[in-house]
Amino acid sequence: KMASSSAPWIGSAYLFLQSTCKTIVLPSLYESSQKKPCVFKALKLALEESTDSRNGVDILKVHCSHPHLIVQLKFCKQENCRRFLQSYREGALQESLQKNLKFSLAMTTVPLEMELKAGNEHLDNMLKDEDRCLECIYREKPDRLRDEEITELEACLESLIIHRSVSNNTAVNDCASLNAPSLPCPSQGSSLSQPVAFIFQGQQFANRMLTPDDHQKFAKLVSKKWKQVGRSLQKNCRALRDPVIDNLALEYDREGLYEQAYQLLLRFIQSEGKKATIARLIAALEENSLISLAEELLGLHSNED
């Protein structure tokens, strides 16, 4: 009834979380670049335990709406959703999340209140009617793809080979390891804390925000490859998503390549703010074999001109 044999069972719900301890404010912890990976890891592990599956439920986005942390969930199989509902109803999910937050944040306890919603329906009021809950979740199709920030946090977790054993309380690794410099996060543009240094051609360079001089050199020297660089940057920059780059090409066609490239990097800087770093631009240049331009920006060329 809820899905045809040819269509997969997909539904969505929102999990509202609030700490009952006045000194623990979950949205503030999640907004902290240092604590965010710890909170996310606890969420991820608790959801895995609730469905007995690594892929039983997806996190699409985490919203900070004080005093609540709101987690948008996506379910791809009815049986996974059913296991989640049972875990939620029996309090196992709450217990698991409190335990994982406690270890991840190195706190004595993290008491929680939880609420589950699907659209306008408060599922807590109908938990005993599991089929009705499933129907409500199934009706709410996900309205977004997974947020970029969640993708990057997932990648960071994947890079830490997690060996979990609930019985001996090793479900969550030491949170400090998530912020270790050796952590191979997916991009320099991660929403996590920015690296203080990066490697280019075997040399270490200090990471920094892009300067007006970088901006002008890029626009002057990148030439026809500005679009390719833009598409490399767009992987972690919403402001450069298609068709923005094509629109820039049309809008500044008369002004020429310099202005097109200048406007591209301007969009990047305005959108990313402090995260618009030289490391991200150098990575995009390397990806497009613009080594000479990267060297120019890093001051490796002599001032012959």
Side-chain angles (χ1 to χ4, degrees), residues 237-249:
C237 177
R238 295 179 184 174
L240 297 182
R241 290 302 172 99
D242 291 332
V244 172
I245 294 174
D246 292 332
N247 289 342
L248 286 174

Side-chain angles (χ1 to χ4, degrees), residues 97-254:
L97 185 51
Q98 287 178 157
K99 176 198 66 180
N100 283 310
L101 283 170
K102 172 184 172 181
F103 289 128
S104 189
L105 297 169
M107 294 181 174
T108 55
T109 182
V110 184
L112 292 176
E113 284 184 351
M114 307 175 74
E115 187 177 359
L116 191 62
K117 296 182 181 180
N120 295 322
E121 300 288 349
H122 292 249
L123 302 186
D124 296 76
N125 299 330
M126 60 179 83
L127 288 175
K128 292 183 179 179
D129 190 346
E130 193 171 282
D131 288 336
R132 187 181 171 195
C133 289
L134 286 167
E135 192 73 53
C136 293
I137 292 172
Y138 176 71
R139 281 202 305 264
E140 294 299 317
K141 300 303 181 190
D143 59 359
R144 61 161 60 243
L145 297 175
R146 187 162 61 177
D147 194 73
E148 287 178 359
E149 177 180 79
I150 301 301
T151 300
E152 291 179 352
L153 287 164
E154 292 264 15
C156 285
L157 287 183
E158 285 296 326
S159 69
L160 300 169
I161 304 172
I162 302 173
H163 296 290
R164 299 196 286 132
S165 174
V166 176
S167 60
N168 61 11
N169 292 334
T170 59
V172 182
N173 290 351
D174 180 11
C175 182
S177 65
L178 278 166
N179 296 314
S182 60
L183 177 63
C185 280
S187 70
Q188 301 288 3
S190 171
S191 57
L192 310 181
S193 56
Q194 297 295 310
V196 296
F198 65 100
I199 303 296
F200 174 74
Q201 293 190 336
Q203 297 184 54
Q204 181 171 294
F205 294 88
N207 197 12
R208 55 175 173 78
M209 291 175 62
L210 293 171
T211 66
D213 187 50
D214 296 327
H215 198 164
Q216 292 176 1
K217 282 182 179 178
F218 172 81
K220 180 181 177 181
L221 300 173
V222 71
S223 189
K224 294 180 180 180
K225 283 198 170 183
W226 69 270
K227 277 190 176 183
Q228 289 97 307
V229 175
R231 291 194 172 96
S232 294
L233 290 172
Q234 78 175 187
K235 296 172 186 175
N236 298 291
C237 177
R238 295 179 184 174
L240 297 182
R241 290 302 172 99
D242 291 332
V244 172
I245 294 174
D246 292 332
N247 289 342
L248 286 174
L250 292 172
E251 187 176 352
Y252 296 96
D253 181 50
R254 291 187 179 181

Side-chain angles (χ1 to χ4, degrees), residues 49-66:
E49 290 172 7
S50 74
T51 57
D52 294 322
S53 169
R54 290 195 63 190
N55 302 308
V57 54
D58 285 333
I59 298 175
L60 296 184
K61 185 174 178 62
V62 178
H63 306 263
C64 293
S65 179
H66 292 260

